[in-house]
């Protein structure tokens, strides 16, 4: 079942704590086109989003602990591969 979310963040491992990423909204409009930044910078951008978000890609599994720590007060989830609902 698809869940209506505001944003999708695709995170791919770029090594050395960097990720290639793209963030799109639910209308598939690109907020951040392909970029490569340190995961800490990307976390700040994800925390600043207003609304629900789905994170996907091999960078999510690699940085799952950091994502859970940074987003714990804003998001509720059982898995970062599934839609994350804002609380």
């Amino acid at each position: 079942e698809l869940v209506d979310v505001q944003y999708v963040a695709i995170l791919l491992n770029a090594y050395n704590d960097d990720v290639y990423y793209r963030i799109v909204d639910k209308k598939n409009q690109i907020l951040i086109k392909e970029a490569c930044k340190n995961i800490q910078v990307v976390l700040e951008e994800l925390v600043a989003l207003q609304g629900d978000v789905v994170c996907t890609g091999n960078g999510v599994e690699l940085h799952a602990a950091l994502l859970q720590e940074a987003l714990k007060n804003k998001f509720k989830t059982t898995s970062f591969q599934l839609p994350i609902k804002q609380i």
Side-chain angles (χ1 to χ4, degrees), residues 2-38:
L2 294 176
V3 176
D4 185 26
V5 295
Q6 295 291 56
Y7 305 101
V8 175
I10 301 110
L11 309 175
L12 301 176
N13 181 22
Y15 301 100
N16 297 319
D17 290 329
D18 289 344
V19 290
Y20 296 107
Y21 72 108
R22 171 184 269 194
I23 300 174
V24 297
D25 68 14
K26 69 180 180 179
K27 295 179 182 176
N28 204 28
Q29 295 180 348
I30 299 170
L31 277 73
I32 298 177
K33 199 171 179 173
E34 296 83 16
C36 183
K37 294 183 183 174
N38 183 275

Side-chain angles (χ1 to χ4, degrees), residues 11-83:
L11 309 175
L12 301 176
N13 181 22
Y15 301 100
N16 297 319
D17 290 329
D18 289 344
V19 290
Y20 296 107
Y21 72 108
R22 171 184 269 194
I23 300 174
V24 297
D25 68 14
K26 69 180 180 179
K27 295 179 182 176
N28 204 28
Q29 295 180 348
I30 299 170
L31 277 73
I32 298 177
K33 199 171 179 173
E34 296 83 16
C36 183
K37 294 183 183 174
N38 183 275
I39 186 63
Q40 295 297 334
V41 174
V42 176
L43 290 173
E44 291 173 11
E45 293 176 2
L46 292 174
V47 168
L49 292 175
Q50 300 296 316
D52 302 340
V53 64
V54 170
C55 296
T56 190
N58 69 357
V60 175
E61 184 176 329
L62 179 64
H63 298 292
L66 292 172
L67 287 161
Q68 287 178 327
E69 179 64 27
L71 304 176
K72 67 181 176 186
N73 293 326
K74 185 174 177 179
F75 298 97
K76 178 181 176 185
T77 185
T78 56
S79 169
F80 279 88
Q81 296 299 332
L82 298 173

